[in-house]
Amino acid sequence: MATRVFSGIQPTGAIHIGNYVGAVRNWVRLTREHECYFSIVDLHAITIPYEVKELPARIYEAALDLLAAGLDPERCVLFVQSYVPEHTELCWLFNTLASVGALERMTQFKDKSEQFRENVNVGLFDYPVLQAADILLYKADLVPVGEDQLQHLELSREIARRFNHHFGDTFPEPKPALTPAARVMALNEPTRKMSKSIPGSFISLADTDQEIRKKVNRAVTDVGPLEGEMSPGVKNLFTLLEAFGTPEQVAHFQAQYDAGSLRYSELKPAVGEAIAGELAPIRERRAALASEPGGVWEILDAGAERARVVARRTMEEARERMGLRRK
Ligand code: TRP
């Protein structure tokens, strides 16, 4: 039986090459073999402080980049979470199965409540339960995520087990598919993850060839002497070459490095060119999509319609199982 895949991405606006090799490129691969649902999770995004007037553009840009990066709306269902209200309804049913203690132990909740002390809201606390609803609404069995989401996934499995135990077999236990890709670090601060919130740290999918080359050439490589270990910046350049270049290129520069003769003046242009080469067709698709008025929003509306067909069916089943419907 074909596997059903679900994953979510935060609407942070235009996506960068870290998101691309860490998640999106893998999603595109999964659409070739599985029935895939991908959601831009706006309801998760509003659990931390945000600028209201910026949110629609963040959603739009994320969708534009996902489509440009190769998610084909003919081969997967791409939609905005809040357009499918069944997510919040299932979340409420699941709230009755999730324990406060388990939610208090979530490291993301602990981190975020440290970071936003002034606004530790119930939505932030409930975030992992909404995530479980996202996944189980489509009865997904496979969830491509990064390592930081494993704890949330474990909670989704726990909720599925509890539901099945109390109300009868309904949901599969979703398994994580750890994305094989390496972590891409900030170009200007290679000890931290590449991030939209660190200016100068990222290359976006819309960057031009010149911008890409310039950013790679400026990437921090040395951070003082390190005994026998590759510096984080150089390591990051190798990560990028592995992600975007050929195995031969990686072997070539690795041999230079081992011989102590690595030249950044050769490595950097090679990395820049490899990235620019892969991003060129993406940038073109992005421009074509952006020039079609209504194009992206129409795709998202159609995606939500398709998602709702499955979502409604699951909700009917869940309500009945929980005794919320007359016999
Ligand atoms: N919490 C995930 C993240 O921050 C995003 C997400 C929301 C998600 N719902 C999901 C991921 C369901 C996988 C499945 O990356």
Side-chain angles (χ1 to χ4, degrees), residues 6-10 41 44 108 127 131 134-135 143 145 149 152:
F6 183 96
S7 197
I9 191 166
Q10 294 264 357
V41 293
H44 280 113
Q108 189 171 303
Y127 182 117
Q131 185 163 344
D134 292 343
I135 298 164
V143 184
V145 282
Q149 295 298 312
H152 289 166

Side-chain angles (χ1 to χ4, degrees), residues 124-240:
L124 190 63
F125 186 64
D126 206 28
Y127 182 117
V129 181
L130 180 59
Q131 185 163 344
D134 292 343
I135 298 164
L136 297 174
L137 195 50
Y138 303 94
K139 301 194 179 184
D141 16 50
L142 202 66
V143 184
V145 282
E147 201 130 21
D148 63 329
Q149 295 298 312
L150 289 180
Q151 199 185 19
H152 289 166
L153 243 287
E154 193 42 59
L155 184 87
S156 299
R157 295 164 63 81
E158 173 73 28
I159 288 175
R161 275 196 294 273
R162 282 205 184 155
F163 191 103
N164 295 343
H165 176 74
H166 289 292
F167 308 114
D169 220 3
T170 310
F171 295 109
E173 282 183 38
K175 278 180 269 312
L178 265 193
T179 314
R183 270 158 62 94
V184 176
M185 309 305 280
L187 294 172
N188 56 352
E189 215 183 322
T191 50
R192 296 172 67 190
K193 229 167 96 171
M194 181 176 281
S195 163
K196 286 284 290 289
S197 58
I198 311 174
S201 81
F202 62 89
I203 291 172
S204 78
L205 295 189
D207 282 349
T208 63
D209 278 6
Q210 293 95 304
E211 286 168 323
I212 295 168
R213 283 170 222 272
K214 201 158 84 186
K215 285 181 183 176
V216 175
N217 285 336
R218 283 196 194 144
V220 170
T221 41
D222 288 307
V223 285
L226 278 169
E227 267 319 301
E229 225 187 278
M230 205 181 258
S231 78
V234 177
K235 209 165 149 199
N236 198 32
L237 290 174
F238 271 95
T239 299
L240 290 170

Side-chain angles (χ1 to χ4, degrees), residues 79-88 137-138 303-305 307-308 311:
F79 67 100
V80 180
Q81 185 188 32
S82 72
Y83 287 36
V84 181
E86 285 79 5
H87 286 250
T88 48
L137 195 50
Y138 303 94
E305 278 306 313
R308 281 200 88 178

